[in-house]
């Protein structure tokens, strides 16, 4: 959201959702650390004194979500001949139900609390911008629990948020997982069999990333079954290396399907 005009983004999101028959699941966030020193400035954005990008992007996110929900944004000009009501004008097009499919990418407990308060679904990737020394999946499971607590504490109940969106809150985590089926898979991902958490510093703070799960279908299923965050989340997203081409990815998906059957996720 550091680079986005929230109203243009709401128009684009609604258009995409309508064209796809209401199938858009859209994740938004502050934005990941980057190489550009002045990237936002080149897009015409700057911080006022005392502002942070975390504050600015959260406010843009709220405005985006308000527009997606169909709330009035602009004041009608009743002398123009085009306005037919004194009610505030919403962004067009509008796609009913899209607001329930907007996810906030949360990398810390603080961003989880903000996402819950604003009424987003929660999306957490393979990187946490926090680290207290516990395993990655344990910290991420704690994020999920904190999100659900904060969502309830914000006054959201019966599947209706205080900002008007309908539908129960959902949580999702992302994993890198590869089923090794032949020599080619072994070449690409064999070294990941022993993958572990990694920790360091990012944006001046402690950070931790999760491991890649690689091995036979049975081994990958066992690792996912022992993953606290995977077990706690409503959705699990799998990252695929699309640069390897469609044919290879079809094979990769078939390997995932084996894992899902072992875990009972295909029911």
């Amino acid at each position: 959201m550091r680079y986005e005009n929230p109203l243009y983004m709401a128009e684009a999101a609604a258009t995409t959702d309508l064209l796809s028959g209401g199938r858009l699941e859209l994740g938004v966030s502050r934005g990941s650390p980057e190489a550009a020193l002045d990237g936002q400035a080149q897009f015409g954005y700057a911080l006022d004194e005392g502002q942070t990008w975390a504050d600015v992007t959260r406010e843009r996110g709220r405005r985006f979500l308000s527009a997606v929900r169909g709330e009035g944004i602009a004041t009608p000009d009743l002398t123009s001949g085009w306005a037919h009501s004194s009610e505030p004008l919403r962004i067009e097009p509008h796609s009913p139900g899209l607001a329930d499919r907007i996810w906030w990418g949360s990398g810390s407990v603080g961003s989880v609390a903000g996402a819950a308060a604003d009424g987003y679904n929660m999306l957490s990737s393979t990187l946490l911008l926090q680290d207290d020394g516990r395993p990655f999946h344990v910290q991420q499971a704690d994020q999920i629990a904190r999100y659900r607590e904060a969502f309830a504490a914000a006054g959201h109940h019966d599947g209706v948020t205080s900002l008007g969106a309908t539908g129960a809150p959902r949580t999702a985590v992302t994993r890198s997982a590869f089923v090794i089926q032949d020599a080619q898979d072994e070449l690409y991902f064999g070294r990941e069999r022993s993958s572990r958490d990694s920790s360091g510093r990012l944006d001046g703070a402690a950070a931790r990333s999760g491991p890649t799960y690689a091995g036979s279908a049975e081994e990958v299923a066992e690792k996912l079954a022992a993953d606290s965050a995977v077990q706690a989340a409503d959705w699990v997203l799998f990252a695929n290396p699309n640069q390897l081409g469609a044919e290879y990815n079809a094979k990769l998906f078939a390997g995932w399907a084996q894992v899902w059957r072992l875990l009972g996720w295909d029911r």
Side-chain angles (χ1 to χ4, degrees), residues 217-237:
E218 291 77 13
E219 288 170 332
V220 172
E222 182 179 356
K223 292 175 181 179
L224 290 170
D227 187 310
S228 300
V230 166
Q231 297 306 312
D234 299 304
W235 283 27
V236 182
L237 312 180

Side-chain angles (χ1 to χ4, degrees), residues 84-210:
H84 305 295
S85 169
S86 60
E87 294 296 318
L89 302 173
R90 71 185 186 188
I91 288 295
E92 297 290 353
H94 173 65
S95 184
L98 173 58
D100 298 330
R101 289 177 272 111
I102 305 296
W103 303 72
W104 186 268
S106 302
S108 66
V109 169
S111 61
V112 160
D118 292 341
Y120 290 96
N121 297 306
M122 177 202 139
L123 174 61
S124 188
S125 73
T126 56
L127 172 68
L128 294 179
L129 299 177
Q130 62 180 54
D131 186 17
D132 59 16
R134 293 179 296 165
F136 174 86
H137 70 102
V138 174
Q139 293 189 60
Q140 195 173 54
D142 187 48
Q143 261 196 339
I144 293 172
R146 298 284 188 92
Y147 165 80
R148 289 173 175 152
E149 291 171 3
F151 194 92
H156 307 322
H157 57 87
D158 296 328
V160 180
T161 76
S162 60
L163 297 182
T166 60
R170 293 177 293 164
T171 59
V173 297
T174 304
R175 290 294 179 267
S176 294
F178 304 102
V179 176
I180 297 177
Q181 306 171 72
D182 56 27
Q184 185 183 34
D185 298 336
E186 186 70 42
L187 177 64
Y188 284 141
F189 307 114
R191 64 186 181 278
E192 302 293 353
R193 289 178 185 271
S194 58
S195 177
R196 298 289 186 270
D197 284 9
S198 60
S199 59
R201 298 190 68 81
L202 199 60
D203 272 3
R208 179 173 287 259
S209 59

